[in-house]
């Protein structure tokens, strides 16, 4: 096979941008226990500082996603300036309509119209935040659903969902987008109101071009072929974003690439194949993870590097050889072309790329040597640590 | 709660029609072994005879689905007459593009254009059969997919699929429909070209109003909420048909209602709730099962009765009480209304209904007493038994 | 078939005892949100009061399980007296080695010997509680496991586990038992140290006759046949207890019987078949649920009734007819015998049974009318509500 | 980290032996279709010839497993000589009690004692084959189970199973072993009589030291951690063998390493960690695959190479660094040590190893150039192709 040139791959990798989420820097846990870690941020500014570290060492994490109301501030312009001075920008705005006692039976799909209005009002507030920060994307994830058969009317909840989405869509500016996430289960166990890509896709289609599907890699039923969904949505022009993480069983929110690095590679292969890696495709690449037992910043650095490695391998695929083997129906040869790229150890190439860009070839080791971890443990004393809902 | 009147339920049950598949009467098995049974049909006429028995004893199975080429005959008009004289009619036509060595790497999505043309030609032939039999529905299930990452181009296969479907759609008559079935896996293991309802829905939407989704209850990933899909498709006007069967693990094709009778009830509750039980909704109710170890005709009778029982329970739901409890957010009360219908023993009501219609109250016992089973064992000697691919 | 006599079934139902867990009366939730409910207990005594209500209305919930340290008191004898005066007794003692920051990487399997010693000391304290309360059973559930491949040594953790269990086993009194629960995943995502019944069984076998397996119905992989495990463990004399709850996807901890009432019936059929319903078998029947969105006491009453209904159906199975059909290899007839019992509406029989025992025939309605719910909302003001870890 | 020496790894790899199965060279398929391939063997000798090719090019596949009765011959001594002259030896003997109409409701667990006797007689015959071939291992896989609740008595089937196993065990010679395979589902769908490792382990424990568990990597429920089972069985001295293959959903029998190469690596890491790679451990490494759409011999060569690559990576793990990171509770560092080995491209090392042993560095390319494929297509004309049940 004709090898893809390392320089060409490095050139394409140089444009990569992976957004990290502000909430990954705070404490998180399971329903059984949130283990507190020392040095976690107490303010949104401290979250931005941590996100900036990830970018400083990897060079490919130039923005941080916000979660409203966790990251609510008076003045978002000032916050954007703060981020800029730290070397990154504010990214996607995530709404939160799941942490209020009112939302026990749902937010935008709640049978109670008062609660639906409250939820929609929050979503509209989030569009205000978009205006203020200049962010492009509003990401919507709904915990809405039911736990018991009969608890509520499945179809009526779709009507309510459609109405809420339409209201928010109408409010979007010309350059703003809505990303609709889906999830099979949790926190609702019998039905989720947006359980799968089909539901999200159908609503986005009805809403219009500014609505797109967000694929969270941990939100599928066992056995689901995620890269098929990615390929399908790219073909339909409806893939808006990724929430990357990895899972062995459910929505484990582990470091992306930790559970099934080959799956991550296959996903990125379809992204590249379908044009989704081109900036013009408008696909946002984000992490959405919980570092329950490992340190937060190293967890994000490792995850960013894992995405970068999988991307490098995807870019190494010899597409001409692949297409040839596929056309001729040579099953093993076609599989071999793909595996050849996957088996390649791309770490030396990435080390080179970093060196060329003035970065340390080993981001995690460099971060560890930097003293930042010790500094935040020493300095972030008092106040309340940021966690989910903090 | 205000009970639903038994007479009202019986009146609605009287209009029910459940189609049985011609292939359920022949031998079937797993990849490990097809266990031969005595007395199975050797011709399509004998399959029709057996299907007519199911109708004769249950009163709610008035048609039989055909599978082309398994049920290919010279003169479909004559076959329709044969069915009429046996007391039933010919129903849905099922295409088969998976049992030819040419289809090793796919039929309508095969990388080889010659094979794609061959497959599409078969589908068009099936529309000819529709014309000849006067059947309304062409049901399409594709075994197409890949076993290995890289084996073929996921996206290109969607393009080929879309092209094939469009060709067939164009050929449909005014009163004919295309039902597009989806399946998560098997016989392909890495990708299926129509793996889920979202894929089927998206294609049907693009094709137009004569294309609808067929839900096979055994074709989903573990943990999938099938009744949600049913409710969603009914809301979108895109539910075309059911292929009923039951499963514990994969596409087990067991007797419907045998593995999870509560799920079957929930599905039928959504059917009734969403108007899908009205004849005007155009939802076809079919069985698609394999009686690998149990006798075929009793297996079909039991299955038809299971669907009938689940429907009776669904019709018994006190919808006013349910809506009230849902509106008030009383989780347990709402669940109780639904469970109240489910826990009702509807067998006495169905026995009454049958007696009122001149049928034996216990179809299975009556069939067993009829001597038909012994007769076909004695008579169907010689020739080759019909099985998958026979 | 020869019907089983209703009187015989009622006589056997009269001896049933289902234990409710103290923690089910407090607040609970998912990792996303714990929705607070009004009137939940603030003390262990208030939990006992609530558990006593469930027994007062159902007649079959005579004991309450404790969770240490959530239910730690100075004087367990006094607590036992309190329970007795409320009409119930203290039951199984549950240890908790998962809610301390020290247990981030495990308790009895932690790589750090200091933390292992701390965990074992807690387990030994729990045996002291057994001594004080006179309870028979110590139930052990370990959240121990790892999130990432390589994080710790799978085999070394088994060695540590075996050592800890042996230490606790040695400390057990002659009439005390250890119940070892298993769980596939959560809160650890890559490995759990006791992930399945095989692991629990192997350890119990090595420990000796006082160690038995506890089956939590929500702790299995998708597609696991739980009743097979029940039958197997009963045959081996190693089934110690059930933690009943129901689930659609993972460890949802929903009301038992809500997700799959047929599965619950099949489990109880195997219990009855295998002699596990006899008091001499030493099988403890307990609930382990979280009423995240529904009210707690009604949730427990409904669950107790669901177990009772499933048991009644299991007792109705015509065992002679079943054995006959099985012996003759008549698949459909054998299935029919089982389904015949399942389809029977046992609610009238249970209403009779309750009336005969001086109880209201409808426990949930009677509880609702009792005014208890309103009373606790009014009275339980101030203090901190009990929740997980409260 | 201190790298593991490549020479040390190569030395350990030189002793590896992976057994290929005779049936992998014949046709296979799904229940929907067996696609015929040209040049497949018509006799057991031709299967041996094909297996010898795999060894000739890889150097690590020195034996071939037999399947009785598919590979039944008059004179096994002569067959062993044939194999020897082809450069390989006869390996594990696999029994087949699933392809006779008598086994519709089970073989050794069938309710009919006549059929049980027939099945046991076959198993005893297989021990005769062991005697004749000098093979060490009898591998038992039972398709036995039920499709419907109530169909048969779960517990009675365990009694019958235990009795049959004990009869066969008693017949084993001093140096012979019994390997008991387990499988979650298929071809039975409601219960399998040996569904999981716990069941197999419990029976083997009761039988004695000559009985061990066989782990087929495709036979687990979704989400099962296979390497945990491997580690557990090695610790208990009860891991007897692997049947390697890979799967995305069910028992797909794809080329091992094709679906989840990281899982294969983790399994082999536990094998090495637990001493299972030492010849003295008595763990047999076998393939059990179906090449439904790809050519058979290349499929086996690729699979053997995949196991070899995963083993090389497992041998590269820096165990001292890993143990250090684990002891110190450094989650990310410990994971990094493991991933460092996994990310290494071992293909150059394997190419070297092959060259040192006089083999072509690229076994698949060498096989393709050899002309063998063309030769068998030309020569194997007439006769009936071997397939499942041939």
């Amino acid at each position: 096979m004709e090898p893809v040139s390392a320089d060409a791959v490095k050139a394409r990798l140089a444009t990569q941008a992976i957004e990290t989420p502000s909430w990954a820097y705070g404490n998180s846990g399971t329903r059984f226990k949130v283990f507190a870690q020392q040095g976690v941020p107490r303010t949104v500014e401290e979250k931005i500082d941590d996100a900036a570290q990830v970018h400083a060492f990897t060079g490919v994490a130039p923005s941080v996603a916000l979660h409203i109301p966790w990251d609510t501030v008076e003045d978002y312009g000032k916050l954007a300036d703060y981020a800029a001075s730290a070397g990154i920008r504010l990214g996607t705005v995530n709404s939160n309509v799941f942490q209020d006692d009112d939302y026990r039976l749902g937010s935008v799909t709640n049978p109670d119209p008062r609660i639906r209005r409250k939820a929609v009002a929050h979503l509209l507030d989030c569009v205000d935040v978009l205006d203020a920060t200049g962010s492009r994307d509003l990401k919507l994830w709904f915990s809405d659903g039911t736990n018991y058969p009969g608890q509520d009317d499945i179809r009526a909840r779709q009507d309510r969902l459609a109405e809420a989405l339409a209201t928010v869509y109408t409010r979007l500016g010309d350059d703003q987008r809505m990303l609709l996430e889906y999830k099979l289960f949790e926190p609702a166990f019998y039905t989720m109101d947006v359980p799968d890509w089909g539901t999200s896709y159908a609503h986005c289609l009805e809403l219009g071009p500014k609505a797109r599907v967000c694929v969270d890699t941990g939100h599928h039923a066992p056995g689901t072929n995620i890269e098929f969904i990615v390929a399908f949505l790219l073909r339909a022009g409806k893939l808006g974003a990724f929430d990357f993480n990895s899972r062995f069983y459910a929505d484990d929110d582990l470091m992306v690439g930790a559970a099934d690095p080959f799956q991550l590679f296959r996903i990125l292969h379809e992204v590249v194949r379908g044009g989704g890696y081109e900036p013009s495709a408008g696909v946002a690449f984000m992490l959405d993870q919980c570092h329950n037992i490992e340190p937060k910043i190293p967890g994000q650095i490792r995850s960013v590097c894992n995405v970068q490695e999988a991307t490098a391998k995807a870019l190494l695929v010899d597409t001409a050889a692949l297409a040839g083997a596929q056309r001729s129906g040579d099953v093993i040869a076609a599989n071999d072309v793909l595996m050849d790229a996957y088996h390649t150890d791309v770490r030396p190439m990435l080390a080179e790329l970093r060196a060329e860009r003035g970065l340390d070839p080993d981001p995690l080791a460099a971060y560890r040597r930097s003293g930042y971890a010790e500094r935040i443990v020493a300095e972030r004393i008092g106040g309340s640590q940021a966690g989910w809902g903090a």
Side-chain angles (χ1 to χ4, degrees), chain A:
Chain A
M1 298 162 204
E2 187 183 341
V4 180
S5 122
D7 281 345
V9 171
K10 283 192 289 183
R12 296 189 71 185
L13 287 171
T15 67
Q16 188 162 34
I18 302 160
E19 186 163 297
T20 73
S22 69
W23 56 94
Y25 301 101
N27 284 324
S28 64
T30 68
R31 63 178 169 135
F32 294 102
K33 170 71 178 167
V34 173
F35 295 108
Q37 293 190 13
Q38 291 185 294
V40 299
R42 298 158 301 176
T43 64
V44 62
E45 287 80 10
E46 290 181 352
K47 294 180 199 172
I48 289 173
D49 291 343
D50 291 0
Q53 289 290 308
V54 177
H55 185 50
F57 289 100
T58 64
V60 290
S63 62
V64 61
L66 299 180
H67 213 290
I68 306 297
W70 300 343
D71 298 326
T72 302
V73 292
E74 287 288 307
D75 184 340
Y76 288 96
K78 214 166 128 188
L79 193 69
D81 291 345
Y82 185 88
S85 72
I88 59 174
R89 4 177 223 90
L90 303 181
T92 298
V93 173
N94 292 262
S95 63
N96 179 325
V97 282
F98 54 89
Q99 287 194 315
D100 183 306
D101 278 332
D102 265 350
Y103 298 141
R104 184 173 56 92
L105 303 179
S107 64
V108 295
T109 67
N110 198 299
D112 183 340
R114 177 189 68 77
I115 294 172
R116 294 203 295 276
R117 282 192 299 270
K118 172 175 170 172
V120 171
H122 171 76
L123 301 184
L124 295 173
D125 287 349
C126 287
V127 185
D128 293 343
V129 177
L130 284 186
D131 291 341
T133 58
S135 300
R136 178 186 59 181
D137 292 341
L138 173 64
K139 180 143 61 77
L140 303 177
W141 173 65
F142 297 105
S143 65
D144 294 51
T146 64
N147 276 3
Y148 292 103
Q151 177 188 324
D152 200 3
D153 189 304
I154 293 174
R155 180 169 174 158
R157 292 177 79 95
Q158 287 299 313
D159 294 336
R160 298 169 201 150
L161 173 65
E163 190 185 334
L165 291 175
T167 303
V168 178
Y169 189 86
T170 305
R171 165 70 183 79
L172 290 174
D174 287 348
D175 298 327
Q176 293 172 344
R177 309 192 307 176
M178 170 191 289
L179 304 173
L180 184 54
E181 200 168 336
Y182 58 90
K183 187 175 184 185
L184 179 72
F185 86 102
E186 196 208 26
F189 297 123
Y190 171 55
T191 57
M192 289 288 280
D193 291 317
V194 190
D196 54 18
W197 78 265
T199 306
S200 176
Y201 173 77
H203 280 286
C204 286
L205 210 61
E206 202 168 302
L207 288 166
K210 288 187 278 188
R212 291 210 192 174
V213 179
C214 173
V215 175
D216 183 303
T217 50
H219 287 190
H220 303 84
T224 302
N225 185 321
I226 300 176
E227 59 267 31
F228 175 91
I229 298 171
V230 168
F232 194 96
L233 289 174
L234 278 170
R235 181 178 177 270
K238 279 294 186 189
L239 180 64
F242 283 100
D243 266 7
F244 282 122
N245 51 62
S246 77
R247 58 82 76 90
F248 286 97
Y249 302 95
D251 185 30
D252 306 345
D253 281 338
L254 300 173
M255 297 188 297
V256 58
D260 190 346
F262 183 45
Q263 183 191 57
L264 180 61
F265 163 75
R266 297 193 312 261
I267 290 171
L268 283 159
H269 168 61
E270 292 304 330
V271 167
V272 171
R273 157 63 181 98
Y277 189 68
E278 306 303 317
S280 62
V283 179
F285 298 86
M286 300 181 281
L287 302 185
D288 182 10
Q289 304 178 166
C290 294
H291 304 295
N292 297 344
I293 60 166
E294 67 273 19
K296 318 296 182 187
I297 297 172
Q300 290 287 296
I301 291 175
R302 164 60 59 232
S303 302
V304 164
C305 292
N306 285 353
V307 175
Q308 200 181 18
E309 289 179 25
T311 308
K313 292 180 178 198
L315 292 169
L316 275 173
V317 172
D318 184 337
T319 53
L322 183 63
Q326 290 173 343
R327 250 193 322 270
S328 68
D330 189 334
V331 174
I332 290 183
N335 179 243
D336 274 358
V337 173
L338 198 73
M339 298 312 289
D340 195 42
Y342 178 66
H343 286 316
T344 303
D345 189 344
V346 296
R347 293 174 301 172
M349 180 202 290
L350 290 174
E352 266 179 46
L353 172 69
R354 289 178 194 122
E356 290 165 13
R357 302 177 75 189
L359 297 170
D360 191 287
D362 184 341
L364 193 48
Y367 169 75
R368 281 181 176 141
R369 282 193 312 266
S370 74
Y372 186 83
E374 294 74 14
R375 203 154 58 240
I376 56 178
V377 168
E379 290 176 1
R380 293 178 181 172
I381 303 290
S384 57
Q385 291 184 316
W388 284 34

